[in-house]
Amino acid sequence: MKESVRLQYLAAMGIDVWVPRHQSVREQVSAEVVGCASQTEAYQGDMVEFQTAVTPILASTEVAGDHKHDLTSLTAPARDALAPVTQHAKVYTDDQAWKGLQQQVSLCRACSLCETRTQTVFGVGNKHASWMLIGEAPGRDEDLQGEPFVGRAGQLLNEMIRAIGLQREQVYIANMLKCRPPNNRDPQAGEVEACHEFLTRQIGLIQPKIILAVGRIAAQNLLNTTQPLAKLRGHQHSLENTPLVVVHHPAYLLRSLSEKAKAWEDLQFAWSVYQSLES
Ligand code: URA
């Protein structure tokens, strides 16, 4: 992205310009793009054992005799993911693991949100991304379109991503919940629990270098804490052995425009954490 365009985005967000002393943003962006390309090459030759790449999400519910998922309509990789680990003799590619996981999500009936959803909202973006953003749950637009962060908040999230020199397509975006809670109410503990393994599997397949928890609800649930956002932001946390940084939710920023400067601080902090991982 051109520097002039980036500056326009920042101006649109009402944010002061910040440039790291030791490296220009342009250099950082091209380094990120090159990183993506080399990661992709590395992944292409990479075969993973299904046993490790695809943990049987529903094994526990199966053992309990609780058949909440329709196994008959699953593809082979998805069906194998549900089988006991000892039966995983086959070797699958990441691609097959993704397909199996996406199918399991689309058929999931583990909580009552399946009754009211239009469709599941799996996740979108670069499956080898260095940056993974995790929001709370799909809203109305996301439920209709089947993609996370596509409404007004999504547009501002895109601006936030661009503000750190990345494109939406370069990162991976997912939500804690894959189904919309009615009237956008807060997710309930049981719903978060039911979806947890799907998110863990996504993180395992992507293996991002850094995770951004987008908003208070995502941050508190992912970090299993009741601390307020003000306490959680500005610190490096960890999820699945991956550094995690908490950022303001764009929907909150749309309601409180004066808080945009704080969002920029969050992004600056996330960028500095990312930089520290590289060195
Ligand atoms: N808010 C979220 O947390 N996720 C979305 O996908 C949309 C809005």
Side-chain angles (χ1 to χ4, degrees):
M1 179 175 53
K2 278 194 189 148
E3 179 66 1
S4 58
V5 178
R6 190 183 76 89
L7 294 177
Q8 278 173 16
Y9 286 130
L10 293 178
M13 285 177 69
I15 280 164
D16 292 339
V17 176
W18 172 82
V19 179
R21 255 174 306 196
H22 53 289
Q23 192 184 21
S24 75
V25 171
R26 190 184 299 270
E27 284 168 334
Q28 289 165 359
V29 172
S30 45
E32 178 72 18
V33 171
V34 169
C36 277
S38 61
Q39 270 190 354
T40 307
E41 277 163 25
Y43 266 79
Q44 271 167 356
D46 211 16
M47 298 286 278
V48 286
E49 270 202 31
F50 204 55
Q51 182 174 336
T52 15
V54 184
T55 316
I57 283 188
L58 304 171
S60 53
T61 52
E62 264 201 312
V63 168
D66 187 3
H67 293 274
K68 288 180 177 157
H69 300 250
D70 176 10
L71 305 189
T72 53
S73 52
L74 292 173
T75 60
R79 247 193 332 268
D80 284 0
L82 303 179
V85 170
T86 49
Q87 290 176 17
H88 293 157
K90 284 187 192 165
V91 174
Y92 290 87
T93 62
D94 268 8
D95 195 37
Q96 286 168 310
W98 274 109
K99 281 194 184 125
L101 180 57
Q102 187 150 6
Q103 193 178 22
Q104 287 172 36
V105 169
S106 71
L107 296 171
C108 181
R109 304 195 65 79
C111 78
S112 63
L113 296 183
C114 67
E115 309 289 346
T116 48
R117 73 184 177 213
T118 304
Q119 58 191 308
T120 54
V121 179
F122 182 70
V124 71
N126 179 357
K127 295 189 175 95
H128 309 304
S130 298
W131 292 70
M132 179 171 185
L133 283 71
I134 305 176
E136 176 183 330
R140 188 177 62 93
D141 293 320
E142 291 75 23
D143 173 71
L144 292 172
Q145 294 184 43
E147 183 171 326
F149 284 103
V150 288
R152 278 187 70 216
Q155 282 163 24
L156 184 52
L157 187 75
N158 292 347
E159 305 297 312
M160 291 165 70
I161 293 167
R162 287 191 195 114
I164 49 171
L166 298 171
Q167 300 289 329
R168 182 177 167 97
E169 298 72 31
Q170 283 177 281
V171 304
Y172 194 88
I173 305 175
N175 281 310
M176 267 187 334
L177 295 193
K178 309 304 184 206
C179 298
R180 181 193 182 199
N183 302 316
N184 297 348
R185 64 156 169 74
D186 286 354
Q188 293 170 355
E191 295 158 358
V192 175
E193 178 61 29
C195 250
H196 176 75
E197 189 65 28
F198 290 139
L199 184 64
T200 303
R201 297 259 307 281
Q202 285 177 306
I203 296 170
L205 283 168
I206 297 165
Q207 296 188 7
K209 291 193 178 136
I210 184 166
I211 293 173
L212 298 190
V214 182
R216 177 182 64 84
I217 304 267
Q220 288 180 335
N221 281 283
L222 293 173
L223 297 172
N224 196 20
T225 178
T226 53
Q227 284 204 312
L229 186 103
K231 285 255 163 63
L232 296 172
R233 63 188 287 269
H235 295 279
Q236 180 176 336
H237 307 271
S238 171
L239 179 69
E240 306 290 332
N241 296 319
T242 306
L244 180 147
V245 169
V246 176
V247 299
H248 277 81
H249 197 288
Y252 170 77
L253 298 175
L254 286 170
R255 291 193 298 271
S256 331
L257 292 179
S258 59
E259 298 291 302
K260 277 188 177 176
K262 284 196 186 151
W264 180 234
E265 283 169 20
D266 294 342
L267 297 172
Q268 279 180 265
F269 178 70
W271 186 244
S272 69
V273 169
Y274 179 72
Q275 289 279 288
S276 73
L277 303 172
E278 296 290 281
S279 56

